[in-house]
Amino acid sequence: AAIKVLAKHIDEAASMRSRAKMLNDLARWCHSNHLPVHEQVITVVIDYCQNFALPHFGSNQPGETYYYTPLTVNGLGIVDVRFENERLSLYVYPESEGHKGGNNVASLIMHWLEQN
């Protein structure tokens, strides 16, 4: 049963990747052929990266008594794949200023749309 679930997951992931590639190619084609924006397919990839932890001293940690709870920093990346030279917009903010909830994501997307 577990193998069937895994096989289904792999098939679905391959299907999603194929669909994403097709939409990326179509978005680039629309942009390179100068279609009006209202007729273009626009593909935007939005994802949170792995959280950052500050401070992070790794093996150079000054000692057991110098341990502090690290500050968690979130990073949301947004890329418009229409352009050959894709440009990453990375929004970085500490967890104390917001989490990864819908309101934060919507606010960051709205900011990105206003800037682009």
Side-chain angles (χ1 to χ4, degrees):
I3 292 177
K4 286 183 180 179
V5 170
L6 182 57
K8 181 181 179 199
H9 175 76
I10 290 169
D11 289 344
E12 289 173 349
S15 175
M16 286 185 269
R17 178 163 294 287
S18 175
R19 175 109 174 118
K21 181 179 180 339
M22 187 262 312
L23 290 171
N24 291 350
D25 292 345
L26 183 57
R28 285 190 179 118
W29 182 88
C30 289
H31 180 72
S32 65
N33 286 287
H34 309 290
L35 269 64
V37 173
H38 67 277
E39 293 180 14
Q40 288 189 24
V41 170
I42 299 172
T43 305
V44 178
V45 177
I46 303 170
D47 194 18
Y48 272 102
C49 61
Q50 183 175 351
N51 292 345
F52 307 101
L54 296 175
H56 176 72
F57 298 109
S59 63
N60 296 324
Q61 183 76 22
E64 290 180 25
T65 59
Y66 191 80
Y67 178 79
Y68 291 103
T69 302
L71 171 68
T72 299
V73 180
N74 298 315
L76 180 75
I78 303 177
V79 176
D80 183 344
V81 300
R82 289 179 295 170
F83 308 105
E84 274 305 311
N85 297 325
E86 297 171 358
R87 184 185 60 166
L88 170 67
S89 297
L90 181 61
Y91 293 91
V92 179
Y93 59 94
E95 193 173 45
S96 61
E97 291 185 22
H99 297 284
K100 295 181 178 180
N103 287 340
N104 280 26
V105 173
S107 295
L108 294 172
I109 291 171
M110 290 301 297
H111 180 267
W112 182 83
L113 289 169
E114 290 167 358
Q115 300 300 310
N116 292 284

